[in-house]
Every structure is written in C-alpha cells, then in structure tokens.
Amino acid sequence: MARHNHTSHRRLRTAGAAVAAAGIAATGTVALAGTPGQGAADGPVVADGVARYDSDTTLGRLSVPSSWKKIVIGEGVTVRGSFLIPAGRTTALTIEGENARTSRLVGHGDHVKDPSHAAVSTEARIELRLRTFTSLNPRHFHIIAKRAKVLASGIRVIDDRDNGGNNSDGFGGGDGSVVENSYFDTWDDTFKIYNGTLTVRNTTVLHNRNGAPVQMGWGDYGSGSELVADGLKVVSHSGDRYNQGVFSWAGGTRPDSRLVRVVGRGLIRSVAPGALEASLYVFRPGVRNKTISIEGGSCPVLRSTPANTELGQPGAGNRVNVGACD
C-alpha cells in the first residue's frame, strides 16, 4: 500500500486545532501511560462475569474466556494487546471503557498481517457491544468481526504511527452492525461494506492519504451488502494526494453492486485546513463490472461527475447510479 508524505502529515497535525473548532475531535499524538514492561501481571479483577482492568496492563493476545460477559477498561487505564473472542462463543460480549479518551486499548508489538492480532477480533456469530474507549495503533486491524452484530458507540479508532502501510483498517462488522457517535482516524480503510448492512450514525472519519472511508471490496465478495449513512462526516485530511476516494472499490472483476442509503443527516463532507479535497468515488485500476448505487441525500453533493469520480485504467463496466435524491 502507498506510503504518505511525512511533511504533509505534520502540517495537517498543526491544523488540528482548526478541525476541532469545527466540531471534530482532533487526534494529535496520544500519550501512553507506562511502558510495555510495566503492565500488571495479575490481569483483571473478575466478578460476576465482569472483568475490570483498573491499572495499566500488558496482556498480549488474550483469548476471552466464555465466562466473561463484560470487559471494562477503567478511566486513565491503558491495556496493551488485543482481545480475541473465540469462534465458538455463543453469548453476547461487551467491551467498554469509562472514558472515551483515557480508557485505551493499544497495540502491543510490530505490525503483522494476522486478523487474530486485531485490537478486537472474532469469527463468532454473537452480539458484540463496544463502548467508550480508544483503540490505538493495533498490530493489525482495529475491529474485525465479520459474523458478529457489532453495536459500537462512543469509540475512538486512531492510528498515529505516521506510516501508511500498516493495515490499520478501522471497522469490519457483520450484518446489522451499527457505529454511532464515534471518531475514526486510521491510515487504511475505515468501514468495510462486505458482510451485510452497516449503519453509520453521527460519526466522523478523517480521510488520510492511504485508504477509503467506505471500502466496497478488494475482491469479488460481499454481494448485496449496504451502508446506511446518517450523519457520516468525512474530512479530507491529506495535503498532497489520496489513493482512494470516499467511496471506493479496490478490486474484483465479477458483476456486483453495493447500495448506499443516505438518510437523516446523510453524508457531510469538509476539508481540513491545508488539505486537498478527495475524490468522492474511486474505482481502482483493474476493477471491472462494479456498481455503486446511492439512494437519498442531496443530488448536487452525491451526483457522480468527471471531477469527483476516478475510473482506474484498465477497467470497464464500472458506474455510479444516484437516485431518489433531492
């Protein structure tokens, strides 16, 4: 994957105050408490199925016991590692913090292309509730749970390693998943529209040089999946260029389509100080026979034009259909 320009990135960090003034939580660099060697050896306190982390802890990759109903990360607490929820789990699980900024789940170790090292990962078909914590710099993705119904609220998903090739993808949930009142600043794709319907509500995404805020697919899979956008705010945040658009299709050649239903507050776009505006739609080179269908929202904002749409070459049969808009 493409790497971004370090000078550009630093310039836009300086512009963070202006972004925050517009109602967006600026990220900056997140200070971490302690070092990997200072984690608590005893792990959480567990009572009545609730596991509480009340001090900084290094857990590595933890296979979450089936007896745990809830994991709580205390205010001002940094947990270093990842939570792997076994595929055989059948009961719901909640992972929540007491403070969205200071309850932190931080990657522990170098990047590895292994989904089981994501901040939170599972193959289980369960309801997974994620609330009020920060996921920072995971070893792989932040959240990957393609069979789970993930209900995420008040989470902050951030990569600040200044490296555009680390697979810090944001969110891949199963059918019926909802992300609301949250904030994403990753250096790869943010939302994967692969596994059914995802609703994104009142949530801000910084669009960095690498990755797409809404990724339709890197191959031929996910047919029939859709996004419901209700207050999805996308901020163009690169000072030089982008390798993907707001809505992107990065791979595949078989006929397929994705539906984006724009409702309520819809899609909101802005450009950070010093940044360039990203394309709205991008079909990467080699992609063929893919259709992005948009229903609802504002016609002038969403209509595909030569100025806001990139059709990578070679490619054929790709299109954007916009209908039922105002």
Side-chain angles (χ1 to χ4, degrees):
M1 294 185 180
R3 298 172 67 92
H4 67 283
N5 181 280
H6 290 235
T7 302
S8 170
H9 181 42
R10 286 193 294 269
R11 183 174 66 250
L12 292 181
R13 289 293 183 204
T14 304
V19 175
I24 306 164
T27 59
T29 299
V30 180
L32 303 182
T35 63
Q38 294 176 332
D42 298 335
V45 174
V46 182
D48 297 324
V50 178
R52 288 191 56 90
Y53 291 90
D54 287 317
S55 61
D56 291 355
T57 303
T58 298
L59 51 82
R61 180 177 55 173
L62 176 70
S63 180
V64 177
S66 60
S67 59
W68 290 10
K69 302 174 186 176
K70 179 187 288 189
I71 299 169
V72 178
I73 303 174
E75 184 172 4
V77 172
T78 295
V79 174
R80 297 177 183 273
S82 58
F83 293 115
L84 170 63
I85 303 159
R89 187 182 179 105
T90 58
T91 56
L93 177 68
T94 298
I95 302 174
E96 69 178 27
E98 294 181 331
N99 185 294
R101 289 183 174 272
T102 67
S103 300
R104 294 171 295 196
L105 177 61
V106 180
H108 182 66
D110 295 332
H111 169 249
V112 57
K113 287 192 174 184
D114 181 348
S116 69
H117 285 278
V120 179
S121 65
T122 188
E123 293 284 334
R125 296 182 182 274
I126 61 171
E127 183 171 287
L128 175 61
R129 310 177 193 104
L130 306 176
R131 303 171 182 157
T132 326
F133 66 90
T134 291
S135 174
L136 175 68
N137 298 342
R139 294 194 69 186
H140 192 51
F141 293 178
H142 287 270
I143 299 153
I144 182 166
K146 62 185 180 180
R147 292 183 174 88
K149 180 180 180 181
V150 184
L151 305 178
S153 179
I155 63 173
R156 302 171 71 242
V157 174
I158 297 169
D159 188 290
D160 68 355
R161 288 172 288 198
D162 205 26
N163 182 346
N166 48 42
N167 281 116
S168 60
D169 297 58
F171 183 92
D175 187 38
S177 293
V178 178
V179 177
E180 61 184 359
N181 304 321
S182 295
Y183 175 84
F184 289 77
D185 178 10
T186 76
W187 282 87
D188 215 315
D189 300 329
T190 299
F191 297 119
K192 306 285 197 179
I193 314 302
Y194 300 170
N195 306 300
T197 298
L198 168 65
T199 297
V200 179
R201 183 180 301 122
N202 298 334
T203 288
T204 295
V205 176
L206 294 197
H207 188 177
N208 295 307
R209 173 174 170 178
N210 190 65
V214 180
Q215 180 59 254
M216 305 302 182
W218 282 87
D220 293 312
Y221 44 74
S223 182
S225 296
E226 66 179 68
L227 169 72
V228 179
D230 180 3
L232 169 58
K233 184 166 189 175
V234 178
V235 182
S236 292
H237 201 244
S238 175
D240 51 9
R241 64 183 179 87
Y242 302 87
N243 70 353
Q244 306 248 11
V246 175
F247 300 102
S248 288
W249 215 311
T253 60
R254 298 175 187 169
D256 200 356
S257 64
R258 295 286 186 275
L259 174 63
V260 178
R261 292 194 288 121
V262 182
V263 303
R265 295 185 63 220
L267 174 70
I268 305 160
R269 297 192 69 193
S270 66
V271 181
L276 303 175
E277 184 173 27
S279 294
L280 184 58
Y281 305 105
V282 169
F283 296 87
R284 297 270 286 174
V287 175
R288 300 197 300 272
N289 306 313
K290 306 301 185 183
T291 301
I292 300 174
S293 295
I294 311 290
E295 292 184 357
S298 167
C299 297
V301 171
L302 295 168
R303 186 176 291 116
S304 174
T305 68
N308 70 12
T309 303
E310 296 180 27
L311 299 172
Q313 300 299 324
N318 301 314
R319 60 184 58 86
V320 177
N321 296 329
V322 178
C325 55
D326 298 328

